[in-house]
């Protein structure tokens, strides 16, 4: 979980930046300390589904805008595929998503991505 500092991230008993805290907590849950990131799209989709706040939306928009501005067709296609992955996760029935997330989190933090379910 993110580190909290009294007077900075917690003021008068409340989170100063609740969206930032939620994003950092979800990022910690979905991060892998690996040299390569073959599951990045899946990890991003899970983090964005867990958080579903303006920071996640802004991150996705920035990636899409940057790809367009630079004329990077590969990055633009990756951004679209990421949006589809998030849509797929969001569209699952609750029981399906619960089972899928169980399989996903069973592989959390591992660099052996052979068991990471795909979206």
């Amino acid at each position: 979980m993110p580190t909290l500092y009294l007077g900075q991230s917690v003021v008068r008993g409340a989170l100063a930046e609740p969206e930032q805290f939620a994003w950092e907590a979800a990022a910690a849950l979905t991060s892998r300390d690996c040299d390569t990131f073959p599951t990045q799209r899946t990890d991003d989709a899970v983090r964005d589904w867990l958080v579903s706040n303006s920071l996640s939306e802004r991150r996705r928009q920035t990636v899409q805008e940057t790809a367009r501005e630079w004329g990077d067709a590969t990055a633009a296609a990756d951004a679209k595929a990421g949006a589809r992955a998030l849509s797929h996760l969001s569209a699952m029935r609750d029981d399906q998503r619960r089972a899928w997330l169980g399989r996903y989190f069973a592989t959390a933090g591992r660099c052996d991505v052979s068991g990471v379910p795909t979206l």
Side-chain angles (χ1 to χ4, degrees):
M1 298 308 285
T3 303
L4 297 175
Y5 300 98
L6 290 176
Q8 184 177 355
S9 50
V10 176
V11 178
R12 295 187 181 118
L15 290 170
E17 301 276 345
E19 286 189 347
Q20 182 70 26
F21 179 83
W23 195 91
E24 289 176 7
L29 289 170
T30 60
S31 68
R32 297 172 194 277
D33 193 17
C34 310
D35 293 333
T36 60
F37 300 97
T39 62
Q40 187 70 45
R41 182 178 302 136
T42 302
D43 296 339
D44 287 347
V46 171
R47 183 188 59 239
D48 287 346
W49 182 82
L50 287 170
V51 177
S52 300
N53 69 23
S54 65
L55 294 178
S56 293
E57 179 64 30
R58 209 170 324 142
R59 182 197 65 80
R60 290 190 306 275
Q61 287 176 347
T62 300
V63 168
Q64 292 170 351
E65 290 170 5
T66 302
R68 273 194 308 271
E69 287 173 9
W70 287 87
D72 188 339
T74 302
D78 285 346
K80 286 181 183 178
R84 283 192 307 271
L86 177 57
S87 292
H88 182 69
L89 181 59
S90 298
M92 287 181 184
R93 290 189 331 259
D94 287 344
D95 59 329
Q96 287 177 313
R97 187 173 35 252
R98 192 172 17 263
W100 188 92
L101 286 168
R103 291 191 310 276
Y104 172 84
F105 282 117
T107 69
R110 295 188 200 153
C111 291
D112 175 15
V113 297
S114 59
V116 178
T118 58
L119 287 170

